[in-house]
């Protein structure tokens, strides 16, 4: 079945550091890939997405490229801010439909000033 | 625009008690679903619905019931609560349209503790 594996956290960085959160997946065919973010006390919200190989999703300075050859969708940001502190979830949607998102375990990110 | 509204935000139950987590959306979304979030396990799909009157099981449906009598509402029922159901529960919805089908809108969550 479909699955998503994220790098284990927690991750702690200083402000303006470079961020990478690794995400790899297992799926048949060509899934759509997502990064969701959960700020403290809130529900998840979509950060970015990519629906086909080599697509790059981007939002709020974050980027992720859909790499089919390595089955990866790593999240990057060049200069993080304290306000980026949150839990980040990688997810995929296979052929079964919009509601059957499969999530990774989440990576907690803390940015220190 | 309220989006997805979940109630209650917090609940403590004793083993064997029943309760219903409420979820309502005002975006006229066709799809609605329930996830549970546990430490180190991400979110797992409990039940989902593709429209009023239609529901189906997700990855971890045991111990939970759902119904979808209206487009707006998708309640999750725990028939006999167990400590293993201690978790944070999220309701989510999305449009069936081409541009919306991929994007879930989540509620703020309901934290349930079963003693």
């Amino acid at each position: 079945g479909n699955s998503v594996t994220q790098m284990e956290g927690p991750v702690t960085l200083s402000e303006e550091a470079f961020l990478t959160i690794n995400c790899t997946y297992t799926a048949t065919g060509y899934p759509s890939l997502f990064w969701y973010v959960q700020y403290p006390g809130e529900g998840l919200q979509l950060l970015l997405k990519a629906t086909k190989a080599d697509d790059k999703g981007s939002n709020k300075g974050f980027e992720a490229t859909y790499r089919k050859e390595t089955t990866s969708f790593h999240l990057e940001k060049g200069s993080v801010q304290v306000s980026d502190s949150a839990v980040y979830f990688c997810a995929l949607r296979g052929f079964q439909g919009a509601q059957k998102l499969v999530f990774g375990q989440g990576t907690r990110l803390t940015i220190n000033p | 625009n309220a989006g997805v509204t979940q109630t209650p935000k917090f609940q403590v139950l004793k083993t064997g008690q029943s309760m219903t987590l409420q979820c309502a959306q005002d975006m006229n979304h066709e799809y609605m679903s329930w996830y549970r979030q546990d430490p180190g396990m991400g979110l797992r799909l409990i039940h989902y619905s593709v429209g009023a009157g239609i529901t189906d099981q997700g990855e971890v449906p045991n111990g939970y019931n759902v119904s979808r009598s209206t487009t707006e509402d998708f309640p999750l029922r725990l028939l006999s609560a167990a400590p293993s159901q201690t978790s944070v529960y999220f309701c989510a919805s999305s449009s069936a349209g081409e541009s919306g089908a991929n994007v879930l809108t989540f509620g703020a969550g309901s934290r349930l503790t079963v003693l």
Side-chain angles (χ1 to χ4, degrees):
Chain A
N2 297 339
S3 66
V4 175
T5 302
Q6 289 181 233
M7 66 183 291
E8 293 203 13
V11 175
T12 302
L13 297 172
S14 298
E15 205 165 23
E16 299 183 2
F18 184 86
L19 168 71
T20 300
I21 300 177
N22 290 336
C23 170
T24 57
Y25 67 89
T26 301
T28 55
Y30 298 87
S32 296
L33 301 173
F34 307 85
W35 279 99
Y36 278 82
V37 59
Q38 183 181 30
Y39 297 105
E42 299 182 10
L44 282 71
Q45 54 186 275
L46 180 69
L47 180 60
L48 54 83
K49 67 176 183 178
T51 57
K52 60 182 187 294
D54 299 326
D55 268 2
K56 177 184 284 188
S58 62
N59 186 25
K60 299 182 180 179
F62 290 89
E63 293 182 341
T65 301
Y66 186 164
R67 301 284 189 201
K68 184 145 182 76
E69 64 275 14
T70 55
T71 61
S72 65
F73 193 55
H74 304 321
L75 183 68
E76 297 181 335
K77 186 174 186 182
S79 177
V80 292
Q81 306 300 313
V82 172
S83 58
D84 294 326
S85 297
V87 181
Y88 292 81
F89 292 91
C90 186
L92 72 79
R93 180 181 75 86
F95 292 112
Q96 293 94 343
Q99 294 303 301
K100 289 197 175 185
L101 282 184
V102 175
F103 287 86
Q105 72 269 36
T107 302
R108 181 175 298 278
L109 173 67
T110 301
I111 307 300
N112 293 322
Chain B
N1 194 347
V4 178
T5 303
Q6 290 182 235
T7 56
K9 291 190 184 303
F10 302 94
Q11 183 71 49
V12 179
L13 292 177
K14 295 181 180 178
T15 296
Q17 288 185 316
S18 62
M19 79 156 299
T20 299
L21 298 177
Q22 301 291 344
C23 176
Q25 53 93 6
D26 61 359
M27 298 170 286
N28 204 31
H29 283 170
E30 294 85 353
Y31 296 120
M32 296 186 74
S33 56
W34 278 100
Y35 287 84
R36 59 178 289 173
Q37 182 182 24
D38 301 295
M41 301 186 72
L43 276 75
R44 292 180 293 170
L45 181 64
I46 304 171
H47 285 285
Y48 67 99
S49 169
V50 299
I54 306 169
T55 64
D56 206 349
Q57 296 181 350
E59 180 185 357
V60 288
N62 292 340
Y64 307 95
N65 277 357
V66 292
S67 60
R68 184 98 180 268
S69 56
T70 66
T71 299
E72 294 79 17
D73 300 301
F74 192 46
L76 179 71
R77 298 182 184 86
L78 283 71
L79 302 177
S80 178
S84 60
Q85 294 178 303
T86 294
S87 187
V88 180
Y89 292 85
F90 287 98
C91 181
S93 72
S94 71
S95 167
E98 183 64 28
S99 62
N102 283 317
V103 179
L104 295 180
T105 300
F106 281 84
S110 298
R111 182 176 294 275
L112 174 66
T113 301
V114 182
L115 303 176

